[in-house]
Amino acid sequence: MEVHAHTHTAADSDSHRGRKKWTHYFWEFLMLFLAVFCGFIAENFREHYVEHKRAVSLAESLYNDICSDTATLHTIADFTINKMEHIDSLINDLHKTPGDWNDTTLSRHIFWLVRFQVFERTQSTFDQLKNSGSLRYFKQDLVKWLNAYDVTAQEIKLREDGEYNVLTQRVVPLSMQAINFEIVNAYSFNEPFTHEVYVKIRDRDKADYFISEAAGIKIIRTRLKTQYEKLERQAVEIIDYLKIKYHL
């Protein structure tokens, strides 16, 4: 009896080796999934880290801007108080009879009446935050405070513009008719007087009209003073938050 041996070709061997268990494919899939997932986590962490660093940098810049604003607010508040005091003195003096006026003192009060100074805000960082969409780096509470701060600053600008218009259109022309306006330059630059100091208001009607205009400027400055104080409170709130949140 003949025994037939089975012969195995090379193709049969390759086919046998090519067959893999399902677990092999599962582990390949799992390793690929983990690689992609870890890459996603790493990229997300990197983006979060970059955004955090960016937020810290912007917070520091914002902190410096608002600190600068508070210093400016102190200056403008002092100016406003001085101006209002001189307006009060001017009104009190104008209520007297012309013969009781001191021309030098009255001229100095009028100089303060026509002086104009505004709050110059440092807003480069805030504008950058708005224009670049970087406000998203910050919590909603801070964004709300920043927007409220911006609204108050804009209201101040509108009221200051209103005062400027009243001064240039009515009060300065009236003052030029009331005093020797050359002394305004001397007062402005702390120079010695080289011109005669005199007041040309000599009747009650002109004095009363001047009082009305001065009182109008005082009303504007009184409201500005309230808004300056409001803006400073908002600034302190933002500064305190940034100091705590970003360890500034």
Side-chain angles (χ1 to χ4, degrees):
M1 183 175 62
E2 296 182 2
V3 178
H4 297 280
H6 293 284
T7 58
H8 298 280
T9 64
D12 292 335
S13 298
D14 290 342
S15 175
H16 179 73
R17 286 195 300 268
R19 291 196 296 270
K20 299 177 181 179
K21 293 183 178 180
W22 68 269
T23 54
H24 176 82
Y25 295 105
F26 171 78
W27 286 113
E28 281 188 347
F29 169 77
L30 182 60
M31 294 302 293
L32 179 61
F33 173 79
L34 289 175
V36 173
F37 180 73
C38 289
F40 172 78
I41 294 295
E43 180 63 21
N44 189 55
F45 177 79
R46 187 190 68 83
E47 289 182 2
H48 179 75
Y49 175 77
V50 170
E51 287 190 355
H52 176 71
K53 294 290 288 184
R54 179 65 173 157
V56 171
S57 176
L58 289 170
E60 184 175 4
S61 181
L62 189 64
Y63 174 85
N64 291 332
D65 283 359
I66 297 182
C67 284
S68 176
D69 282 355
T70 58
T72 304
L73 284 168
H74 292 159
T75 300
I76 194 68
D78 289 342
F79 168 84
T80 297
I81 291 171
N82 285 333
K83 179 165 183 168
M84 291 169 62
E85 288 176 350
H86 277 282
I87 290 175
D88 286 340
S89 297
L90 172 64
I91 291 173
N92 289 335
D93 286 349
L94 287 175
H95 276 302
K96 300 175 184 177
T97 58
D100 295 331
W101 294 344
N102 181 301
D103 288 1
T104 300
T105 302
L106 205 64
S107 295
R108 183 166 182 81
H109 295 329
I110 292 175
F111 160 72
W112 270 91
L113 172 67
V114 300
R115 282 192 70 183
F116 182 67
Q117 187 170 334
V118 298
F119 166 62
E120 296 181 357
R121 178 185 174 192
T122 308
Q123 62 183 92
S124 56
T125 303
F126 183 74
D127 288 344
Q128 179 185 354
L129 289 172
K130 287 196 303 181
N131 296 333
S132 66
S134 298
L135 281 171
R136 62 188 172 84
Y137 293 148
F138 301 113
K139 298 290 186 181
Q140 276 303 115
D141 284 346
L142 178 59
V143 174
K144 180 181 67 176
W145 293 335
L146 289 172
N147 286 331
Y149 184 86
D150 184 54
V151 169
T152 304
Q154 291 183 38
E155 290 173 349
I156 287 173
K157 178 68 167 57
L158 288 173
R159 197 171 295 280
E160 288 174 340
D161 289 344
E163 180 189 18
Y164 178 78
N165 291 333
V166 173
L167 285 173
T168 55
Q169 295 173 16
R170 299 208 306 262
V171 178
V172 169
L174 183 64
S175 299
M176 293 176 71
Q177 298 174 20
I179 64 174
N180 180 3
F181 214 69
E182 291 174 309
I183 69 163
V184 170
N185 184 71
Y187 277 129
S188 298
F189 299 100
N190 198 27
E191 297 175 350
F193 295 160
T194 58
H195 304 283
E196 182 183 359
V197 179
Y198 56 80
V199 175
K200 292 182 285 186
I201 302 174
R202 291 305 173 195
D203 64 78
R204 188 70 262 157
D205 288 342
K206 288 184 178 179
D208 289 342
Y209 182 71
F210 210 103
I211 287 171
S212 296
E213 291 293 340
I217 294 297
K218 182 186 176 182
I219 290 172
I220 294 174
R221 271 289 147 181
T222 300
R223 290 173 177 168
L224 274 169
K225 180 175 178 292
T226 300
Q227 288 185 301
Y228 293 145
E229 292 168 349
K230 177 183 177 181
L231 190 67
E232 184 175 3
R233 289 193 300 271
Q234 291 174 325
V236 169
E237 187 175 39
I238 294 170
I239 287 171
D240 288 345
Y241 176 88
L242 292 173
K243 285 169 65 176
I244 295 171
K245 178 69 175 178
Y246 296 98
H247 311 290
L248 301 175

Short mmCIF file of all heavy atoms in Angstrom, two decimals, residues 16-41:
data_model
loop_
_atom_site.label_atom_id
_atom_site.label_comp_id
_atom_site.label_asym_id
_atom_site.label_seq_id
_atom_site.Cartn_x
_atom_site.Cartn_y
_atom_site.Cartn_z
N HIS A 16 -1.10 30.50 5.59
CA HIS A 16 -1.25 30.11 6.99
C HIS A 16 -0.71 31.19 7.93
O HIS A 16 -1.31 31.52 8.94
CB HIS A 16 -0.53 28.78 7.22
CG HIS A 16 -0.60 28.33 8.65
ND1 HIS A 16 -1.77 27.82 9.21
CD2 HIS A 16 0.35 28.30 9.63
CE1 HIS A 16 -1.55 27.51 10.47
NE2 HIS A 16 -0.27 27.79 10.74
N ARG A 17 0.47 31.71 7.52
CA ARG A 17 1.05 32.77 8.38
C ARG A 17 0.22 34.04 8.32
O ARG A 17 0.22 34.84 9.23
CB ARG A 17 2.49 33.04 7.93
CG ARG A 17 3.48 31.95 8.32
CD ARG A 17 4.89 32.45 8.19
NE ARG A 17 5.19 32.86 6.83
CZ ARG A 17 5.71 32.02 5.92
NH1 ARG A 17 5.95 30.75 6.23
NH2 ARG A 17 5.96 32.45 4.69
N GLY A 18 -0.48 34.33 7.22
CA GLY A 18 -1.24 35.58 7.08
C GLY A 18 -2.51 35.60 7.89
O GLY A 18 -3.07 36.65 8.13
N ARG A 19 -2.98 34.45 8.29
CA ARG A 19 -4.19 34.44 9.10
C ARG A 19 -3.87 34.83 10.54
O ARG A 19 -3.02 34.21 11.17
CB ARG A 19 -4.83 33.05 9.06
CG ARG A 19 -5.42 32.67 7.69
CD ARG A 19 -6.36 31.48 7.82
NE ARG A 19 -5.63 30.29 8.26
CZ ARG A 19 -5.06 29.43 7.43
NH1 ARG A 19 -5.13 29.63 6.12
NH2 ARG A 19 -4.42 28.36 7.90
N LYS A 20 -4.54 35.92 11.01
CA LYS A 20 -4.29 36.42 12.37
C LYS A 20 -5.56 36.37 13.17
O LYS A 20 -6.67 36.48 12.64
CB LYS A 20 -3.77 37.86 12.33
CG LYS A 20 -2.46 38.02 11.59
CD LYS A 20 -2.04 39.48 11.53
CE LYS A 20 -0.74 39.66 10.75
NZ LYS A 20 -0.34 41.07 10.67
N LYS A 21 -5.40 36.22 14.48
CA LYS A 21 -6.56 36.19 15.36
C LYS A 21 -7.20 37.56 15.45
O LYS A 21 -6.54 38.59 15.28
CB LYS A 21 -6.14 35.72 16.75
CG LYS A 21 -5.67 34.26 16.79
CD LYS A 21 -5.34 33.86 18.20
CE LYS A 21 -4.92 32.38 18.27
NZ LYS A 21 -4.60 31.98 19.65
N TRP A 22 -8.48 37.60 15.78
CA TRP A 22 -9.21 38.88 15.89
C TRP A 22 -8.65 39.76 16.99
O TRP A 22 -8.71 40.99 16.92
CB TRP A 22 -10.69 38.60 16.13
CG TRP A 22 -10.98 38.00 17.49
CD1 TRP A 22 -11.04 36.69 17.80
CD2 TRP A 22 -11.24 38.73 18.69
NE1 TRP A 22 -11.31 36.51 19.12
CE2 TRP A 22 -11.45 37.77 19.70
CE3 TRP A 22 -11.31 40.08 19.02
CZ2 TRP A 22 -11.73 38.11 21.01
CZ3 TRP A 22 -11.59 40.44 20.32
CH2 TRP A 22 -11.80 39.47 21.31
N THR A 23 -8.06 39.15 18.00
CA THR A 23 -7.49 39.94 19.10
C THR A 23 -6.32 40.79 18.62
O THR A 23 -6.06 41.88 19.15
CB THR A 23 -7.03 39.03 20.24
OG1 THR A 23 -6.14 38.05 19.71
CG2 THR A 23 -8.21 38.35 20.90
N HIS A 24 -5.62 40.27 17.61
CA HIS A 24 -4.49 41.03 17.07
C HIS A 24 -4.99 42.34 16.46
O HIS A 24 -4.41 43.41 16.69
CB HIS A 24 -3.77 40.19 16.01
CG HIS A 24 -2.66 40.95 15.34
ND1 HIS A 24 -1.42 41.07 15.90
CD2 HIS A 24 -2.63 41.62 14.16
CE1 HIS A 24 -0.65 41.78 15.10
NE2 HIS A 24 -1.37 42.13 14.03
N TYR A 25 -6.09 42.28 15.72
CA TYR A 25 -6.65 43.49 15.11
C TYR A 25 -7.22 44.43 16.17
O TYR A 25 -7.15 45.65 16.05
CB TYR A 25 -7.74 43.11 14.10
CG TYR A 25 -7.22 42.34 12.92
CD1 TYR A 25 -7.43 40.96 12.81
CD2 TYR A 25 -6.48 42.98 11.93
CE1 TYR A 25 -6.94 40.25 11.74
CE2 TYR A 25 -5.98 42.27 10.85
CZ TYR A 25 -6.21 40.92 10.76
OH TYR A 25 -5.72 40.23 9.70
N PHE A 26 -7.79 43.82 17.19
CA PHE A 26 -8.33 44.65 18.27
C PHE A 26 -7.23 45.48 18.94
O PHE A 26 -7.40 46.67 19.18
CB PHE A 26 -9.03 43.75 19.31
CG PHE A 26 -9.41 44.48 20.56
CD1 PHE A 26 -10.53 45.30 20.58
CD2 PHE A 26 -8.63 44.38 21.70
CE1 PHE A 26 -10.88 45.99 21.73
CE2 PHE A 26 -8.98 45.07 22.85
CZ PHE A 26 -10.11 45.88 22.87
N TRP A 27 -6.11 44.81 19.23
CA TRP A 27 -5.03 45.54 19.89
C TRP A 27 -4.41 46.59 18.96
O TRP A 27 -4.01 47.65 19.41
CB TRP A 27 -3.95 44.57 20.36
CG TRP A 27 -4.37 43.81 21.57
CD1 TRP A 27 -4.61 42.48 21.68
CD2 TRP A 27 -4.61 44.36 22.87
NE1 TRP A 27 -5.01 42.13 22.94
CE2 TRP A 27 -5.01 43.29 23.70
CE3 TRP A 27 -4.55 45.65 23.41
CZ2 TRP A 27 -5.34 43.46 25.04
CZ3 TRP A 27 -4.87 45.82 24.75
CH2 TRP A 27 -5.27 44.75 25.55
N GLU A 28 -4.35 46.31 17.68
CA GLU A 28 -3.85 47.32 16.74
C GLU A 28 -4.77 48.55 16.74
O GLU A 28 -4.31 49.68 16.77
CB GLU A 28 -3.77 46.72 15.33
CG GLU A 28 -2.56 45.85 15.10
CD GLU A 28 -2.43 45.45 13.63
OE1 GLU A 28 -3.41 45.66 12.87
OE2 GLU A 28 -1.36 44.95 13.25
N PHE A 29 -6.08 48.29 16.70
CA PHE A 29 -7.05 49.39 16.72
C PHE A 29 -6.94 50.17 18.03
O PHE A 29 -6.98 51.41 18.03
CB PHE A 29 -8.47 48.83 16.56
CG PHE A 29 -9.53 49.85 16.84
CD1 PHE A 29 -9.85 50.82 15.89
CD2 PHE A 29 -10.21 49.86 18.06
CE1 PHE A 29 -10.83 51.76 16.16
CE2 PHE A 29 -11.18 50.80 18.33
CZ PHE A 29 -11.49 51.76 17.37
N LEU A 30 -6.83 49.44 19.13
CA LEU A 30 -6.75 50.10 20.43
C LEU A 30 -5.51 50.99 20.52
O LEU A 30 -5.58 52.13 21.02
CB LEU A 30 -6.74 49.06 21.55
CG LEU A 30 -6.71 49.62 22.98
CD1 LEU A 30 -7.93 50.48 23.25
CD2 LEU A 30 -6.61 48.48 24.00
N MET A 31 -4.37 50.50 20.06
CA MET A 31 -3.14 51.28 20.12
C MET A 31 -3.25 52.53 19.24
O MET A 31 -2.78 53.61 19.60
CB MET A 31 -1.95 50.42 19.68
CG MET A 31 -1.65 49.27 20.64
SD MET A 31 -1.31 49.82 22.34
CE MET A 31 0.23 50.68 22.08
N LEU A 32 -3.86 52.37 18.06
CA LEU A 32 -4.04 53.52 17.17
C LEU A 32 -4.97 54.55 17.80
O LEU A 32 -4.71 55.77 17.77
CB LEU A 32 -4.60 53.05 15.83
CG LEU A 32 -4.87 54.15 14.79
CD1 LEU A 32 -3.57 54.86 14.43
CD2 LEU A 32 -5.52 53.55 13.54
N PHE A 33 -6.06 54.05 18.41
CA PHE A 33 -7.00 54.95 19.07
C PHE A 33 -6.33 55.71 20.21
O PHE A 33 -6.50 56.93 20.37
CB PHE A 33 -8.19 54.15 19.60
CG PHE A 33 -9.12 54.96 20.45
CD1 PHE A 33 -10.06 55.81 19.87
CD2 PHE A 33 -9.05 54.89 21.84
CE1 PHE A 33 -10.91 56.56 20.67
CE2 PHE A 33 -9.90 55.63 22.63
CZ PHE A 33 -10.83 56.48 22.04
N LEU A 34 -5.55 54.99 21.01
CA LEU A 34 -4.86 55.64 22.14
C LEU A 34 -3.86 56.67 21.66
O LEU A 34 -3.70 57.73 22.28
CB LEU A 34 -4.17 54.58 23.00
CG LEU A 34 -5.09 53.69 23.84
CD1 LEU A 34 -4.27 52.61 24.55
CD2 LEU A 34 -5.85 54.51 24.86
N ALA A 35 -3.18 56.38 20.54
CA ALA A 35 -2.21 57.33 20.01
C ALA A 35 -2.90 58.62 19.57
O ALA A 35 -2.44 59.73 19.86
CB ALA A 35 -1.45 56.70 18.84
N VAL A 36 -4.03 58.47 18.86
CA VAL A 36 -4.78 59.65 18.41
C VAL A 36 -5.35 60.41 19.60
O VAL A 36 -5.29 61.64 19.66
CB VAL A 36 -5.91 59.21 17.45
CG1 VAL A 36 -6.81 60.42 17.11
CG2 VAL A 36 -5.33 58.62 16.18
N PHE A 37 -5.91 59.67 20.56
CA PHE A 37 -6.51 60.30 21.73
C PHE A 37 -5.47 61.07 22.54
O PHE A 37 -5.70 62.20 22.96
CB PHE A 37 -7.19 59.23 22.59
CG PHE A 37 -7.84 59.79 23.82
CD1 PHE A 37 -9.02 60.51 23.75
CD2 PHE A 37 -7.26 59.59 25.08
CE1 PHE A 37 -9.62 61.02 24.88
CE2 PHE A 37 -7.85 60.11 26.22
CZ PHE A 37 -9.04 60.82 26.12
N CYS A 38 -4.31 60.45 22.76
CA CYS A 38 -3.25 61.12 23.52
C CYS A 38 -2.74 62.35 22.78
O CYS A 38 -2.42 63.37 23.40
CB CYS A 38 -2.10 60.14 23.78
SG CYS A 38 -2.52 58.84 24.97
N GLY A 39 -2.69 62.23 21.46
CA GLY A 39 -2.28 63.40 20.68
C GLY A 39 -3.27 64.54 20.82
O GLY A 39 -2.88 65.72 20.95
N PHE A 40 -4.57 64.17 20.82
CA PHE A 40 -5.61 65.18 21.01
C PHE A 40 -5.49 65.83 22.38
O PHE A 40 -5.58 67.06 22.52
CB PHE A 40 -6.98 64.53 20.84
CG PHE A 40 -8.12 65.43 21.20
CD1 PHE A 40 -8.55 66.41 20.32
CD2 PHE A 40 -8.76 65.30 22.43
CE1 PHE A 40 -9.61 67.25 20.66
CE2 PHE A 40 -9.81 66.13 22.77
CZ PHE A 40 -10.23 67.10 21.89
N ILE A 41 -5.30 65.02 23.41
CA ILE A 41 -5.15 65.55 24.77
C ILE A 41 -3.94 66.46 24.87
O ILE A 41 -4.00 67.55 25.47
CB ILE A 41 -5.03 64.39 25.79
CG1 ILE A 41 -6.33 63.59 25.85
CG2 ILE A 41 -4.66 64.92 27.16
CD1 ILE A 41 -7.51 64.37 26.36
#
